[in-house]
Amino acid sequence: MNIEIRIQEQTAQLEAQWAEDERWAGIERTYTAEDVVRLRGSVVPECTLGRIGSERLWRLLTSSPEGPGGYINALGALTGGQAVQMVKAGLQAIYLSGWQVAADANLSGSTYPDQSLYPANSVPQVVRRLNNALLRADQIDWSEGRNGTDWLAPIVADAEAGFGGALNAYELMRAMVESGAAGVHFEDQLSSEKKCGHLGGKVLIPTSQFIRTLTAARLAADVLNVPTVLVARTDALSANLLTSDVDERDASFATGERTSEGFFRIQDGLEAAIARSLAYAPYADVLWFETSTPDLREAEEFAAAIHEQHPRKLLAYNCSPSFNWKKALSDEEIAGFQQQLGDWGYRFQFITLAGFHSLNAGMFELARGYRQRGMSAYVDLQEREFALEADGYTATKHQREVGAGYFDKVMQAVSKDSSTLALHGSTEEQQFA
């Protein structure tokens, strides 16, 4: 068939999908369906994990909660093993923080602060690692005839400020989707000056420029034919620098002052965060304003302003470890914090650096005890693991946990009378039955 005829047929199909599928209600695209089809090529690789994850994430975020304040909560995973334990414990989604990748999981093998100093393909590679760990857990359970655990929890990954302009954002989004990310968030900072949302010195890009970033990310997902959940984050609450005053939507926040680097000084605050998020709403599935404190009044005001104009827009909230929670809130307020956010439409709530803090605190505690008490300290850890087995914990049997038994089955499929099976005769089989 003539290529142009095929392109027109596929364009008509995509136009109908965008118009009729409830998934795309309220979403604007500045490009056409034909643009997408022409960029796909004649062969579109199937991104199975990205598709499964994004569809599941969307269902979780949009399904009607059984009670008031329905929300999905997630922890930031640093390793594949942590992702497996999160799912084993019953969490339905996983967050992957660029901060954690910068600190301890990037492809340069260096330790960095959260300033986009690591290779841009690092987060997609960690997404792939987390998914591989979840796939192995699924394969082990399947091979043993176990059921009840849906291992492929959707992963929401951090694309930071896109590591450059619109083309960089496009390529990064492609890599995220291909690695199996279900959701991806971008922030409206200048990538070359990017900072963690809880650091100083943040520089925003014009509102129109960030819309181009979101558009490029959406285009990448569309080209790959995956409905990736796109999250738009603004740092306008605490950023007081702007690259350019070219966008009239930013003009009301400009002070008229310039810095030595040529940046424009602007007024930060909730009003600025709301204004930017309203501008981003048609181009993103979920909105997130980065906060400086766990302030419920602030969260309620933001949600009300967004939902006045976009009643169905989903919101996200970073329950950050950068906050001193006990200093800011009472025990009662902390206990009801996420439920209250859920009532206001914050459907995705997450603790970004949970993996980093859990890993470091746990290892420090063990190392200190080991230095002081030797094997008694390690045996205390082992006994805690045994106690957790009643709740479904299985990593006590660490050989089985990583697939020794699974690969024994591979060997038996190759050679039925193999005498080199790993678990048979192992200390784990003898002592941890």
Side-chain angles (χ1 to χ4, degrees), residues 117-175:
L117 295 170
Y118 58 84
N121 59 337
S122 295
V123 171
Q125 186 59 38
V126 179
V127 172
R128 185 170 286 108
R129 172 69 191 102
L130 301 187
N131 271 322
N132 284 344
L134 296 174
L135 283 169
R136 180 70 74 219
D138 176 77
Q139 292 162 354
I140 292 169
D141 269 11
W142 180 270
S143 71
E144 295 176 351
R146 299 171 183 263
N147 57 29
T149 302
D150 191 344
W151 284 105
L152 293 177
I155 299 169
V156 178
D158 184 355
E160 303 212 352
F163 288 83
L167 293 180
N168 302 81
Y170 177 87
E171 284 295 285
L172 180 55
M173 186 66 161
R174 280 189 64 97

Side-chain angles (χ1 to χ4, degrees), residues 4-149:
E4 287 300 322
I5 295 176
R6 291 175 60 191
I7 287 176
Q8 294 310 313
E9 288 180 348
Q10 292 176 28
T11 296
Q13 292 171 358
L14 187 56
E15 287 174 341
Q17 179 186 333
W18 289 352
E20 298 168 8
D21 192 337
E22 184 68 15
R23 169 67 178 86
W24 304 118
I27 296 299
E28 294 182 15
R29 292 170 168 87
T30 60
Y31 50 84
T32 67
E34 184 175 344
D35 291 331
V36 173
V37 172
R38 287 189 179 277
L39 290 171
R40 280 180 177 171
S42 62
V43 177
V44 182
E46 179 59 42
C47 300
T48 305
L49 295 182
R51 174 174 296 283
I52 290 173
S54 58
E55 291 175 349
R56 181 178 172 190
L57 178 61
W58 188 251
R59 287 195 302 271
L60 289 170
L61 293 173
T62 58
S63 60
S64 299
E66 295 181 357
Y71 60 91
I72 302 302
N73 56 358
L75 297 173
L78 187 57
T79 72
Q82 287 185 336
V84 168
Q85 299 311 317
M86 290 172 187
V87 176
K88 174 71 76 172
L91 294 183
Q92 297 185 77
I94 294 169
Y95 179 72
L96 177 55
S97 160
W99 192 106
Q100 292 194 151
V101 172
D104 205 13
N106 64 79
L107 290 175
S108 74
S110 298
T111 298
Y112 287 124
D114 188 14
Q115 296 180 229
S116 290
L117 295 170
Y118 58 84
N121 59 337
S122 295
V123 171
Q125 186 59 38
V126 179
V127 172
R128 185 170 286 108
R129 172 69 191 102
L130 301 187
N131 271 322
N132 284 344
L134 296 174
L135 283 169
R136 180 70 74 219
D138 176 77
Q139 292 162 354
I140 292 169
D141 269 11
W142 180 270
S143 71
E144 295 176 351
R146 299 171 183 263
N147 57 29
T149 302

Side-chain angles (χ1 to χ4, degrees), residues 106-312:
N106 64 79
L107 290 175
S108 74
S110 298
T111 298
Y112 287 124
D114 188 14
Q115 296 180 229
S116 290
L117 295 170
Y118 58 84
N121 59 337
S122 295
V123 171
Q125 186 59 38
V126 179
V127 172
R128 185 170 286 108
R129 172 69 191 102
L130 301 187
N131 271 322
N132 284 344
L134 296 174
L135 283 169
R136 180 70 74 219
D138 176 77
Q139 292 162 354
I140 292 169
D141 269 11
W142 180 270
S143 71
E144 295 176 351
R146 299 171 183 263
N147 57 29
T149 302
D150 191 344
W151 284 105
L152 293 177
I155 299 169
V156 178
D158 184 355
E160 303 212 352
F163 288 83
L167 293 180
N168 302 81
Y170 177 87
E171 284 295 285
L172 180 55
M173 186 66 161
R174 280 189 64 97
M176 292 287 202
V177 175
E178 291 169 342
S179 68
V184 181
H185 71 79
F186 289 80
E187 61 207 48
D188 57 1
Q189 292 189 45
L190 175 64
S191 61
S192 61
E193 295 287 349
K194 192 268 176 190
K195 305 291 193 303
C196 168
H198 301 109
L199 291 174
K202 296 183 289 295
V203 182
L204 301 180
I205 58 177
T207 295
S208 56
Q209 185 176 344
F210 188 61
I211 290 174
R212 287 195 294 274
T213 297
L214 296 174
T215 299
R218 179 78 74 192
L219 176 63
D222 283 342
V223 167
L224 290 172
N225 196 29
V226 175
T228 310
V229 177
L230 181 59
V231 183
R233 167 180 141 183
T234 182
D235 283 276
L237 185 71
S238 60
N240 54 21
L241 298 175
L242 178 69
T243 59
S244 169
D245 63 354
V246 67
D247 194 320
E248 63 182 20
R249 287 170 290 193
D250 301 322
S252 61
F253 302 101
T255 65
E257 301 175 45
R258 301 286 292 274
T259 70
S260 58
E261 301 92 343
F263 299 132
F264 292 78
R265 292 197 182 276
I266 55 173
Q267 297 173 350
D268 56 6
L270 187 60
E271 184 180 348
I274 290 171
R276 282 187 164 242
S277 296
L278 287 172
Y280 305 154
Y283 307 96
D285 301 308
V286 183
L287 299 177
W288 161 18
F289 80 108
E290 186 69 305
T291 64
S292 302
T293 57
D295 187 329
L296 286 173
R297 178 204 57 79
E298 186 178 75
E300 182 180 22
E301 186 175 343
F302 178 86
I306 298 300
H307 290 149
E308 182 179 4
Q309 296 189 33
H310 302 275
R312 300 175 56 190

